Each structure stands twice: as structure tokens, then as C-alpha cells.
Amino acid sequence: QDHGSSTDWQDQITRTSFSHTHNLSYSNGYDTGNYRVSLSYSDQQGIIKNSSMERLNGRLNFNQRLFKDKLKLGAQITISRVNDEAPLITNNAGFEGDLLGASYMANPTWPSDPDFQFSNSNLNPLSMLKYYQDKTKTNRSLINLSAEYDFTNEFNVKVNTGFDNSSSDRDGVLSPELFMGDGVFGNGRAFISEIETSSQLLEVLFNYRKEFENSKLTALLGYSYQEFNNEGRNYQGWGFSGTNMNGIVDDLKATDRIVRNSITGAYQQYGYGTDGAFVNRLFPEPVSETITVADTPARAAVSDWYNYTDELQSFFGRINYTLKDRYLFTATLRADGSSKFGGNNKYGYFPSGAFAWILSDEEFIPEAFYNLKLRLGYGVTGNQELPHNLYQTRQRYGGLGVNDSGVVQSSGLNDLAFANPDLKWEQTQQFNIGIDFGFWDNRFNGSVDLYRKNTTDLLMQITSAQPASQPFVYRNLDADVINKGFEITLNYGLIETEDFTWDLSTNFSYNDNVVKNFDGIVDTGGINGQGLTGAFAQRIEDGQPLFSYFLREFTGYDENGLSTYEGGDLQKFVGKSALPKYNLGISTNFRYKSWDLSAFFSGQFGHYIYNNTQNAFFTAGSIGNGRNVTKDVLGSEESGANAPDVSTRFLEKGDFLRLQNITLGHNFEFADKSKVFKSLRIYLNAQNLVVITDYSGLDPEVNTNKELNGVPSLGIDYTSYPRPRTFTLGLNASF
């Protein structure tokens, strides 16, 4: 299997990239208002070739006071354009892998030639770079307008309006010259995605404030309405005569125009292939009809439309009361209504309250305390983050595809949701108690917080027990997800002199998570790899933390090199979760005259990562297929016939400590007579400079979402985009 070359395939697809960002702003104030205009441009290259993002952004802030400052008008307008370029990287690549997977398993003796055809279904990474194109253009405009009027010194009304519109066009091409499956080689594939999202906001706020002899009162009453519209279309084509990738995109657009001109009336999707053409309509009744289409540049094409609107309406109020400047009370109440929920539970009601006592103002507290405050809080928050309208029975024609021969494949009518008028808001109740303290003129200060959160009525797609009239239903999970723990923050000014200062800050938190009162089972964490169709690594069940690993307990290999497992070949909970138990942050700042240095460390501990990349590519069975593996595989007792089952063999500790950010800066000083600069600062910044970890993958701070049944996963690593080490040279100047 030696082809005579020595190729570092990861080096072939990565690069030391260069990025630059420029920000320019002008601001001015006058007697009755002020304005600020800013323009920014950035061009960021990714460390994977053919990945980049270019952004142009313009912003205007304007404030005007009228009628002796009783009326205040404000406007914020932002317009942006973003151009994205992406390589062939996915979170669910199949047997052949994506660009990263292909680079990991490519034989290093193959030549670094994009036109070299690999054997045994192995993809050529350079071919995937040369013959794949994926570009997205996004235009966005954001407008916020406000008007505030003071009727009296104690009462005012403020009205906010917002408009947000984004339109995005993405086109991707797999050239006919790309040697890969799915009928690409000799035919080519292309796809286009057109998305337009918009939202509107209306908010009215009534504010009242009153000062008494030894107390203060502020009150707010508000109303908010938001509308979110999402509209888009996805279409793809197969079988193109040319090899120019921009030309293939044009051919797909021309094919789409020809097919659409052959259709009359409203429709959801069309399919056009070597076996004919059809259109699927939802209204007035679902029906599939055959149509006649003239010859097109693409030999097959499919398209699908969607358009939906969600609404959110809120009523809310808040009261703040301060007594003797040391007893602080807060109470709030929200009533939020969402169109995503059933008719019986459109609205959720969310109260909260808090109390703070500034103990350091009391005579019985020792003078050693510069500051001492006790805080108590309780509140309920709601969650409505789920897809559009899952409480109402709805059907839609399923996804279309084109097979390797140009035949359109359709799944017919699919169930999107089943009736559940009782679907309601997910709720989280939280109680916390905290204390803030400070000593030595607050040179040493910090806070300690204890909390307990209980999330109920979790929104989830649940498979129905069969036999049943429907295969699944979206409902509120009858369970409690409990998080409890503490957070500690400490700040200390170690040295404070005229020329030199040094301060140190740290925060540490502990969190314990568990699912209670749940009588069901939900699997998630899908695992990819050869022979792993339908495999999963995580399960949600009563008495376990969220994202607990449900695996075979790997114990080694038998005399034939086959895996052995504790308790047989059955998956079970292994007492490990993807949720970190401990979080740590450390920051420090130095200043010597006009020089400054700052650094920030972050860390997470007590959690585990499932290395799906190793599970999919780095096993003995890959060697016989002519694939590259890591050196430890050669030294193991594993047989090439061993099945790479989902097991603790690929489960690793995720503990890490990272030097996240370090910055060295210098501020230039100018005499008062200088007419050029008001200030000038130059700095050098480094990000992700050092990581201390035992994890064998590229980076321990990773999460490839491998959801199942609409349930997300956590802590699974599968061909994740590498985290770059970035050095930045910056210059800030004001005139």
C-alpha cells in the first residue's frame, strides 16, 4: 500500500491564516443632542483552507432632546454585509468522512495531488478543497427607534420600535471532477439556499419614581410585542455538463427558472429528474401532480419552500423600593404569550423577588468591613425555544433527494406534529442566597453565591408507546432537572503604587446536575462511523445527570483481538457525564507607567468527552482498508476484524486549563500642545496560547451537536473545526 510519497495531510488542508480588522468612528455632541457614525471592515481567514469571513458594517447612533429636554428621541441604524466561505465539513459525515475526517485517515504515502484517485472509498482531501465550493452572502439591516417623554419629574413614558431584516443566499457545488460517492463524479451536484428572516418589535414602558423622607420607590409597567417571520427555499441539482463551479451555480438557477415556469398555482416542492417531473401541493388539499418540463442545464433538480411566523406578546411590571439606603426590595411579574404553544397554555406567568441588605451600614458590623451586603432572590423564568407550531396536527411533504442515477426520491406526506393543545412553557425556578464583602478600602473584595435551580415541563419530542395513533408527540416532560451549587469570586489589589499596580481576580463554581421524577428514557448523542448506524452514547433517565454516558464498559481484548466488555455486550450508565462539575477563571492585570499586561486563564473539570473521531477512524479495522491511523493502534492487541462499538474505550477526561487571553499594551503620552492625537495605544494580544490537558483530541473544549429525536447532545468530539492560536497586533488612536 506504499505509493512512494510522504504527505502530511493535515498540513495540506490547514494554513497559518492572516486576518485584519479596521474600525473608524466619528462622534459629536451639541447642546440638544449627539451622534456617532462608525464603519468597520474585517477579513478573517480560517485555519482550514477555503474557510473565511468578510464583514462590512456601518452604524449610526443619534439622540435628540426637544421641548426643554422633556422629549428624547433616539435612533440606532446598522447595515451589514457578510461573505462566508466554508470547506466541506459537517457534523454527520458518513463512512467516507468530511474534509477533516478524510485528512485524518488519508494514507501518507499517497501523493499531494488533487486529481489522484484514492482506493477503497477514501476521499482525497486536496480534491475536496479544489472541487468543492460553498459561499454565503448575507445582508442585514437593523433599525431601532425610541421616543421618551417626561410628563413630570416623576413620570415618563418610553416607546421603542425595532425592525430587523436579514436575507441570505448560499450556493454550494460538488464538481463533476470530485471523485466521491453519491453520483458526484462525472455528474456533479449543486445546492442553493435562500433565507429571509425578519422581526418587528413594539415596546411601551411606563416609568414612575418617587423619593420620600427616608426611602425611594421606582416602578415600571410595560408591554412588548414581537413578530418573527422566516421564509426560504432550498433547491439542488444533479448532472451538469460543465466543470466551472460558478457556471454550475448559474446552470442550477437556470434549471430552477425553467421548472418554475412550468408550474401554475401555489406549491410546496417540485421534483424533476430522469424519470419525469412532479409538483407537490399542500392547499387546498395535499396532492402530487405530474408536470411537463422542457430540457434544462441540469438533468435533475428538486426544490422545497417554507414560510412561517411566530409571535411573542408580553406584559410585565417591576417595583424597586429602597429604605434608609440599606434595605433594597425588588418584585417583578411577567406574563408572556407565545404562538408556539397550544390554545390552553399560550401564556406563562413568571414572578420574581429579591432582597438586599447593606449590612456594612449597620452600627453592629465591625469597621473592618468596607462593604458587606446580603442578597436573597427567587424567580421563575420561561423557555419557548422550540420549532414553529408543534402543538397542532400538521403534515408536510418530506425531503426530496436525487439518487446516483438522477432519479428523484420523495418520502411523501410526513407528520410534523400531532395535536397537543396543552403544550406550555418550560419553566425554571431558582433560589439564591449571596453575600458581597470588601476589606481594606475594598482592596480585597468578593462574593459568595449559593443557588438551586429546578427546571420543569421540559419541551421535548416523545416517542409514543405503541400501538398508538401517532408515532410521536411534542409535550412537556414530566420531570425535574435540578442544578445546585455555588460560585465564589475574589479580587485582590496586590500592589498599588503610583507607577506600578498588580491585581488578581479569580472565580470558581461548582454545579451538581440530576434528573428527578422521570419515568421515561430519551436517547441522544448519535455516533458516526462505519458499522455504527443508529448508535448513540448518551441517555436521559431518572436519577442521572443530563448527558450521562450510556456505553459498553470496555475491559480489553480477548485472544482473537476482539473487544471484551464488563457484563456482556450491553450498554449501561458508566457514572460519567459531559457536564463539567467545576469551572475556574483566573485573571490578572499589571501596569507599569505607560505599559500594561493582562492575562486570563479558564478551566473546566470533572467532565468527560466521547472521542467519536477516534471511534470512527482510528481503529485496527481501518488499516486493512488502506487508511491512516494513530500510532497507538499499531501497538494494541486489537484485531482488524474487531467491531468499533460505542464503549468507554473512546471516553476520555475533559479536564483542561487554558491560557485564554494575554495582552501587552503601551499607551503613548502626548504634550497638551499636540494637535494630532488625543490618545494612541498599541497592543499585542495572543489567544489560546497554552492548553494543559490529557485529552488526546485536538481540543478539550469541544461540542459537536449529535442530537437524536430533536434532543441535543453535549461533549461529543467528531471532526470538530480546530480552535486556532491567534496573535493580534492592534492600534487604537483618537483625534
Side-chain angles (χ1 to χ4, degrees), residues 456-504:
T456 58
D457 297 324
L458 283 81
L459 297 164
M460 196 169 294
Q461 177 181 313
I462 301 298
T463 301
S464 302
Q466 299 301 315
S469 59
Q470 70 278 333
F472 64 86
V473 65
Y474 282 88
R475 66 178 179 89
N476 297 97
L477 205 62
D478 187 13
D480 297 277
V481 178
I482 299 173
N483 287 276
K484 56 185 178 181
F486 63 84
E487 300 175 359
I488 299 175
T489 301
L490 300 173
N491 309 293
Y492 186 40
L494 297 170
I495 299 176
E496 294 182 1
T497 67
E498 183 177 352
D499 291 335
F500 181 67
T501 62
W502 176 22
D503 62 67
L504 179 67

Side-chain angles (χ1 to χ4, degrees), residues 12 226 330 355 439 505-506 596:
Q12 291 290 322
Q226 290 178 276
T330 299
F355 167 71
F439 300 93
S505 300
T506 182
D596 58 79

Side-chain angles (χ1 to χ4, degrees), residues 223-226 311-315 335-339 347 425:
Y223 169 80
S224 174
Y225 173 80
Q226 290 178 276
E311 298 173 282
L312 181 64
Q313 181 172 249
S314 304
F315 302 88
D336 295 312
S338 172
S339 62
Y347 282 86
W425 288 78

Side-chain angles (χ1 to χ4, degrees), residues 552-568:
R552 298 169 180 84
E553 190 81 55
F554 178 73
T555 57
Y557 303 102
D558 62 16
E559 63 277 8
N560 298 315
L562 304 180
S563 297
T564 59
Y565 305 105
E566 182 180 311

Side-chain angles (χ1 to χ4, degrees), residues 172-471:
V173 178
L174 291 92
S175 168
E177 296 175 277
L178 177 59
F179 186 75
M180 67 179 296
D182 296 328
V184 172
F185 186 70
N187 299 295
R189 287 183 180 270
F191 65 87
I192 295 177
S193 176
E194 300 169 347
I195 302 173
E196 181 161 354
T197 63
S198 62
S199 66
Q200 295 82 40
L201 166 69
L202 172 63
E203 188 176 60
V204 183
L205 306 173
F206 300 89
N207 294 282
Y208 176 78
R209 54 187 177 274
K210 179 73 173 179
E211 292 193 14
F212 303 96
E213 182 178 351
N214 63 352
S215 62
K216 301 174 185 177
L217 173 69
T218 63
L220 177 143
L221 188 64
Y223 169 80
S224 174
Y225 173 80
Q226 290 178 276
E227 182 180 277
F228 308 89
N229 180 258
N230 292 269
E231 181 179 0
R233 187 165 70 99
N234 300 302
Y235 52 110
Q236 57 178 295
W238 174 92
F240 298 91
S241 57
T243 58
N244 179 280
M245 288 189 282
N246 290 325
I248 290 175
V249 172
D250 293 336
D251 285 346
L252 177 56
K253 291 180 179 180
T255 298
D256 177 63
R257 287 193 297 268
I258 294 172
V259 177
R260 285 197 289 162
N261 288 336
S262 305
I263 303 172
T264 58
Y267 63 96
Q268 181 204 317
Q269 57 186 207
Y270 70 70
Y272 161 66
T274 56
D275 58 339
F278 64 90
V279 60
N280 291 331
R281 310 180 195 271
L282 286 174
F283 304 102
E285 294 293 337
V287 63
S288 181
E289 302 173 353
T290 59
I291 57 174
T292 300
V293 177
D295 290 339
T296 64
R299 283 175 284 160
V302 294
S303 177
D304 189 281
W305 293 78
Y306 63 89
N307 187 341
Y308 61 88
T309 298
D310 294 311
E311 298 173 282
L312 181 64
Q313 181 172 249
S314 304
F315 302 88
F316 48 91
R318 181 183 69 235
I319 295 177
N320 294 328
Y321 181 69
T322 303
L323 179 62
K324 296 183 179 181
D325 290 330
R326 70 185 70 165
Y327 310 109
L328 294 79
F329 302 86
T330 299
T332 67
L333 176 64
R334 294 187 62 93
D336 295 312
S338 172
S339 62
K340 293 183 178 181
F341 297 114
N344 297 338
N345 292 297
K346 292 283 187 191
Y347 282 86
Y349 302 92
F350 310 107
S352 68
F355 167 71
W357 183 8
I358 304 177
L359 289 163
S360 51
D361 288 347
E362 301 289 357
E363 295 182 357
F364 58 83
I365 297 298
E367 293 184 359
F369 286 96
Y370 178 86
N371 173 53
L372 185 63
K373 179 193 288 187
L374 175 67
R375 294 177 280 104
L376 299 173
Y378 172 81
V380 182
T381 57
N383 174 34
Q384 54 119 27
E385 294 303 318
L386 74 167
H388 168 74
N389 187 2
L390 299 178
Y391 65 87
Q392 192 175 45
T393 299
R394 289 188 297 128
Q395 287 184 313
R396 202 172 188 275
Y397 283 97
L400 299 176
V402 181
N403 69 12
D404 296 355
S405 303
V407 175
V408 175
Q409 298 172 310
S410 175
S411 59
L413 277 176
N414 281 351
D415 296 315
L416 297 181
F418 296 93
N420 182 9
D422 295 324
L423 194 66
K424 60 184 178 181
W425 288 78
E426 179 181 305
Q427 297 192 18
T428 299
Q429 303 177 51
Q430 176 170 336
F431 173 79
N432 67 279
I433 179 171
I435 189 167
D436 302 327
F437 56 87
F439 300 93
W440 309 317
D441 290 332
N442 221 36
R443 186 171 170 180
F444 175 64
N445 62 79
S447 63
V448 178
D449 283 271
L450 303 174
Y451 65 87
R452 186 182 189 276
K453 295 195 294 184
N454 184 12
T455 302
T456 58
D457 297 324
L458 283 81
L459 297 164
M460 196 169 294
Q461 177 181 313
I462 301 298
T463 301
S464 302
Q466 299 301 315
S469 59
Q470 70 278 333

